Amino acid sequence: MSDRDGLIWLDGELVDWREAKVHVLTHTLHYGMGVFEGVRAYETAQGAAIFRLQEHTDRLFNSAHILNMKLPFSKAEINEAQRAAVRENNLKSAYIRPMAFYGSEGMGLRAENLKVHVMVAAWEWPAYMGEEAKTQGIKIRTSSFTRHHVNITMCKAKANGNYMNSMLALREALDSGCEEALLLDNEGYVAEGSGENFFMVTNGVMYTPELTSCLDGITRRTIMEMARARGIEVREKRITRDEVYIADEAFFTGTAAEVLPIRSLDGRIIGEGRRGPVTEMLQTMYFDTVTAKDPFNAEWVTPVK
Ligand code: PMP
């Protein structure tokens, strides 16, 4: 990742990709106290355009506020940095990674007066799990790792340290021949995937877990709005793993994963064992909206030029 041509926005300037480095005593590297975003830009008739840029920037600032981290840039500057990272690397479509982290001014949990740095990188990143997964769906397992409890870490923050739990769960799932993990909360109810929100459809009603231990996903909000606009009832409720086994359809949502059907959970086929009709309709609407083919909420799309 680090050895390539291009530019990365770091602390207000575009620097050469290979020179965008930090010291080994970078505080966030040691304790994981940092915040980040995952954003996508899609190819549209007006060139590359970022999907729901303002919402991602707002969530980055909320995450920082939750961690008591003061970002030294305005939201407008971080929006512009994301547009620049895509534009200046001549990307038609991109995954954009803004992150705020503490510098190397001190070490230890008590370190004070740490400088907050902000970086934004952008690169091409095609479908998260390949094109076939978008139609055939993925095989997932219930994780042996519990999702964060709301008072152990801050679930509303997209914080670096939170992702150790995600990586443990994902690695376990991959090692056991699955493509993703389904994490349960500390009471045993469905929370989310390692990097995605969860939805299921039963008897025409769409269900998703309440926002307790899962991230307030921007794709989740988008899909709920799209479903409601199409007259589908959407309910947020506690979901058990066996409710998922007998659902008609299930899918994950996320900026990286987009709308990804789930074929099976713990060896139980869900519905027809491939993308169901509601999932397909929402997936199509999602791709048409992010690429600005469908004018549904055209203001969600921000061209980089
Ligand atoms: N949950 C987790 C744990 C995630 O990392 C992500 C990806 N940011 C999501 C859900 C989906 O969020 P979004 O739709 O905003 O990408």
Side-chain angles (χ1 to χ4, degrees):
M1 274 305 285
S2 58
D3 186 19
R4 59 161 82 183
D5 294 335
L7 296 166
I8 290 181
W9 189 94
L10 178 61
D11 292 333
E13 281 173 57
L14 284 164
V15 300
D16 190 84
W17 194 287
R18 292 183 183 84
E19 300 309 316
K21 291 181 181 164
V22 293
H23 195 269
V24 289
L25 293 177
T26 295
H27 202 273
T28 300
L29 194 57
H30 293 253
Y31 305 113
M33 189 88 164
V35 295
F36 70 100
E37 269 303 318
V39 190
R40 263 192 200 265
Y42 288 89
E43 193 174 351
T44 73
Q46 297 174 69
I50 302 177
F51 189 61
R52 304 200 75 172
L53 172 63
Q54 190 60 50
E55 288 84 351
H56 281 283
T57 300
D58 288 345
R59 189 171 64 186
L60 182 76
F61 277 73
N62 283 343
S63 298
H65 180 70
I66 291 170
L67 267 54
N68 235 340
M69 204 176 191
K70 310 264 174 303
L71 299 190
F73 296 97
S74 67
K75 288 185 178 178
E77 286 168 316
I78 298 299
N79 282 344
E80 194 38 50
Q82 293 172 82
R83 295 176 68 211
V86 177
R87 188 178 58 233
E88 303 305 324
N89 287 298
N90 298 313
L91 296 164
K92 286 199 183 102
S93 65
Y95 181 78
I96 310 165
R97 167 54 54 82
M99 181 180 65
F101 58 101
Y102 284 124
S104 52
E105 292 76 18
M107 194 43 71
L109 303 181
R110 286 164 197 262
E112 282 176 17
N113 303 318
L114 295 168
K115 188 171 173 202
V116 177
H117 298 272
V118 184
M119 53 80 46
V120 182
W123 61 90
E124 269 178 46
W125 198 2
Y128 190 52
M129 297 199 197
E131 286 301 321
E132 203 188 319
K134 287 186 190 168
T135 52
Q136 299 310 307
I138 58 166
K139 180 181 168 189
I140 68 168
R141 61 164 283 176
T142 302
S143 185
S144 73
F145 296 95
T146 301
R147 193 63 182 148
H148 296 296
H149 176 259
V150 290
N151 209 25
I152 287 179
T153 191
M154 300 292 104
C155 301
K156 292 288 164 291
K158 192 166 165 63
N160 297 38
N162 289 0
Y163 284 81
M164 193 177 126
N165 174 257
S166 290
M167 288 186 71
L168 288 168
L170 179 59
R171 181 47 51 197
E172 176 189 59
L174 296 174
D175 288 347
S176 57
C178 291
E179 287 146 289
E180 183 51 286
L182 184 66
L183 290 107
L184 309 181
D185 66 19
N186 67 310
E187 292 182 78
Y189 296 94
V190 173
E192 60 183 336
S194 67
E196 308 88 14
N197 288 108
F198 174 82
F199 284 89
M200 66 178 198
V201 181
T202 300
N203 295 328
V205 179
M206 216 164 94
Y207 299 92
T208 191
E210 290 166 350
L211 288 178
T212 36
S213 58
C214 68
L215 190 74
D216 181 0
I218 290 160
T219 322
R220 177 184 183 276
R221 293 185 214 159
T222 303
I223 288 298
M224 288 167 78
E225 206 170 318
M226 286 178 170
R228 285 179 175 141
R230 290 292 174 99
I232 299 169
E233 189 184 340
V234 186
R235 288 192 210 151
E236 295 174 80
K237 77 169 204 83
R238 282 180 148 188
I239 296 170
T240 60
R241 62 195 280 186
D242 54 4
E243 282 180 285
V244 184
Y245 295 159
I246 57 173
D248 299 324
E249 299 179 38
F251 61 94
F252 280 133
T253 63
T255 299
E258 300 165 313
V259 180
L260 195 61
I262 299 168
R263 185 171 76 237
S264 68
L265 169 63
D266 301 334
R268 278 81 162 171
I269 296 291
I270 298 169
E272 299 292 314
R274 56 186 150 75
R275 179 177 64 185
V278 175
T279 311
E280 183 173 357
M281 188 272 285
L282 292 170
Q283 194 187 51
T284 304
M285 200 170 169
Y286 185 75
F287 285 119
D288 286 350
T289 302
V290 296
T291 52
K293 285 182 201 130
D294 185 334
F296 186 82
N297 280 325
E299 72 278 10
W300 283 347
V301 175
T302 308
V304 303
K305 283 194 177 140

